[in-house]
Amino acid sequence: MYLAYDYPLLSAFWTMLVFFLWVMWFVLLFRIVVDIFRDDDLSGWAKAGWLVFCVVLPFLGVFVYVVARGKNMGKREMAQARAQQKEFDQYIRDTAKDHGGSGSSVDQLHKLSEMKSRGDITDEEFRRAKAQILGDQPPADRPGPVASGTGASR
């Protein structure tokens, strides 16, 4: 028992081990508190009861929570991560749609050149639409076939 105090290196090891376990305890406690509030299946009173139990008797409360409800903690965390990813993907789609939803200028120029090679538009219409896509010239009074979306053909 006195071995740790006779050897300073062993004492430092025990100090680091206790500090690590102390930090891990708080990480576990905070994860459980977050899980209590995250769970939609619990009523408000049940959440308050678990929270009081974990705060008043932290060791017993945390261990009982892990035994009783720990199995689904990972499932709830994954469900929240999936929901956040889904919301983020939807935000990206909406933002991309708002900022040029018809595609990038490269895509538009490619479609325009395909239309010209098929003979759907004339050289003059191609030149005006290309200038409009590249921003070299403001849109004309009468929009071309690409701007109006009609895709006029001969």
Side-chain angles (χ1 to χ4, degrees):
M1 192 63 168
Y2 295 105
L3 187 63
Y5 297 104
D6 292 338
Y7 297 98
L9 187 60
L10 194 54
S11 178
F13 170 76
W14 284 115
T15 303
M16 287 173 36
L17 181 65
V18 168
F19 181 73
F20 174 75
L21 292 174
W22 183 71
V23 168
M24 289 305 296
W25 170 255
F26 277 106
V27 167
L28 181 62
L29 181 65
F30 289 134
R31 284 196 55 161
I32 286 176
V33 169
V34 167
D35 189 64
I36 289 171
F37 286 108
R38 176 185 297 150
D39 191 6
D40 293 333
D41 295 337
L42 288 176
S43 68
W45 287 107
K47 289 179 183 184
W50 275 113
L51 192 60
V52 166
F53 190 36
C54 288
V55 169
V56 172
L57 298 170
F59 290 109
L60 184 61
V62 166
F63 291 135
V64 169
Y65 187 85
V66 168
V67 169
R69 301 186 45 85
K71 182 178 180 182
N72 294 326
M73 282 177 67
K75 292 178 185 176
R76 285 187 289 274
E77 189 170 346
M78 289 300 295
Q80 183 196 20
R82 282 190 201 107
Q84 285 178 339
Q85 184 67 38
K86 187 177 178 182
E87 289 175 13
F88 180 73
D89 291 345
Q90 186 61 41
Y91 170 76
I92 293 295
R93 279 189 217 99
D94 292 344
T95 303
K97 197 181 310 177
D98 291 343
H99 297 292
S102 61
S104 68
S105 58
V106 174
D107 294 336
Q108 291 176 353
L109 287 174
H110 179 69
K111 290 175 185 176
L112 193 62
S113 67
E114 285 179 353
M115 289 173 63
K116 181 183 172 205
S117 66
R118 286 191 313 250
D120 292 342
I121 58 175
T122 64
D123 288 338
E124 178 60 28
E125 290 172 331
F126 175 77
R127 186 188 59 73
R128 276 190 293 139
K130 179 181 168 187
Q132 187 176 352
I133 290 171
L134 296 177
D136 295 342
Q137 155 189 337
D141 293 330
R142 186 180 64 86
V146 174
S148 67
T150 58
S153 59
R154 289 187 193 179

